[in-house]
Amino acid sequence: MLADHVLFIDAEAMVIDKPAGLPVDAPRDGGLSLENHLQGLTFGFQRWPVAVHRLDRDTSGCLLLSRNPKAQARFQAAFEGGMVAKRYIAVLDGVPVGEDGIIDLALGKVSTAETGWRMTGDARGKPSRTHWRLIRVAGGQALVEFRPETGRTHQIRVHAAEGLGCPVAGDPVYGQAGRHGMLLHAAELSVPRGAKPPVHAIAPTPARFAAIGFDHPEPNATGPIDPSAPPAAASDHG
């Protein structure tokens, strides 16, 4: 159940701390996905919430869901307009050169019969920019903060592997799979709403980071809240 993963809720929006391993879209093999949990995230509304954006199956952290169609349209427009602030943390295999910078690497999709599809740097691809900052180094690995300007598929994973030369630890596509899974976490999300306060949430750092020596307490982490008492009066209109 994901009811105890709610980080933010009001009449328009909900942010959950998506567990690693749970796909947002239903997989082809018929396995469980976010859709199987939506009925348990209604909290008194008739409509099921709808995911506004995507996180990769093995990425954990802040995922925005809308609670009515008008909010869905506004939130999608905010994402498409580049108005949403996102912050990720990741453990990388290797240590990047420098302490911070901007990765400006356009991305394109490639596919082969042997390995399937993946994204890669491609001058003819879609423009992609990511700000990064080194947080800590230990044991030949690095904890790095990423703030993407754009939202391309696998952007942070490819920018880490090709832009910094250090793939995300546990990445089965662009690096090497590991027993702790992929160490990429959507730590913070902020979505503007005009005159209303923004939708804002901070997801606590998962235990799998601490398991390899990168315990990183998030300042002011939202943490799970009681969704039975939302801060704004619930309304199922719009």
Side-chain angles (χ1 to χ4, degrees):
M1 297 294 292
L2 294 182
D4 58 352
H5 285 245
V6 175
L7 302 173
F8 174 98
I9 187 170
D10 68 7
E12 295 184 333
M14 180 188 313
V15 180
I16 64 169
D17 185 359
K18 185 190 83 68
L22 180 69
V24 174
D25 297 315
R28 294 180 180 178
D29 61 12
L32 294 178
S33 69
L34 177 66
E35 183 176 352
N36 298 98
H37 297 271
L38 294 178
Q39 187 173 8
L41 294 174
T42 54
F43 301 117
F45 281 27
Q46 292 184 355
R47 292 187 179 99
W48 291 10
V50 177
V52 178
H53 60 120
R54 299 292 181 269
L55 291 178
D56 295 337
R57 177 198 293 257
D58 296 323
T59 301
S60 56
C62 295
L63 179 71
L64 175 66
L65 287 74
S66 66
R67 304 192 76 193
N68 64 63
K70 289 184 179 179
Q72 175 75 5
R74 288 196 297 271
F75 294 151
Q76 284 186 329
F79 271 89
E80 292 169 1
M83 296 182 289
V84 177
K86 296 170 285 184
R87 179 173 62 85
Y88 292 75
I89 58 172
V91 175
L92 306 186
D93 282 333
V95 179
V97 176
E99 295 187 354
D100 57 47
I102 299 176
I103 305 163
D104 193 344
L105 178 68
L107 300 178
K109 187 176 182 179
V110 295
S111 179
T112 66
E114 294 77 18
T115 61
W117 70 271
R118 60 188 287 159
M119 304 299 290
T120 189
D122 184 346
R124 300 166 297 178
K126 294 181 178 180
S128 307
R129 284 170 58 91
T130 306
H131 298 254
W132 68 276
R133 179 177 67 88
L134 183 65
I135 299 175
R136 194 190 320 162
V137 174
Q141 294 180 307
L143 181 66
V144 175
E145 176 186 276
F146 292 98
R147 295 179 181 265
E149 285 187 18
T150 50
R152 311 303 181 200
T153 300
H154 295 182
Q155 176 172 319
I156 292 175
R157 297 165 64 183
V158 180
H159 277 184
E162 298 187 16
L164 296 181
C166 305
V168 175
D171 190 329
V173 177
Y174 306 101
Q176 292 186 340
R179 64 189 183 94
H180 295 291
M182 188 169 72
L183 295 173
L184 177 60
H185 178 64
E188 186 172 5
L189 178 73
S190 184
V191 186
R193 294 192 289 183
K196 296 181 180 180
V199 176
H200 179 246
I202 300 175
T205 304
R208 68 186 191 278
F209 279 67
I212 64 164
F214 284 98
D215 186 18
H216 181 65
E218 282 288 341
N220 303 316
T222 310
I225 64 173
D226 179 7
S228 66
S235 170
D236 202 9
H237 300 291

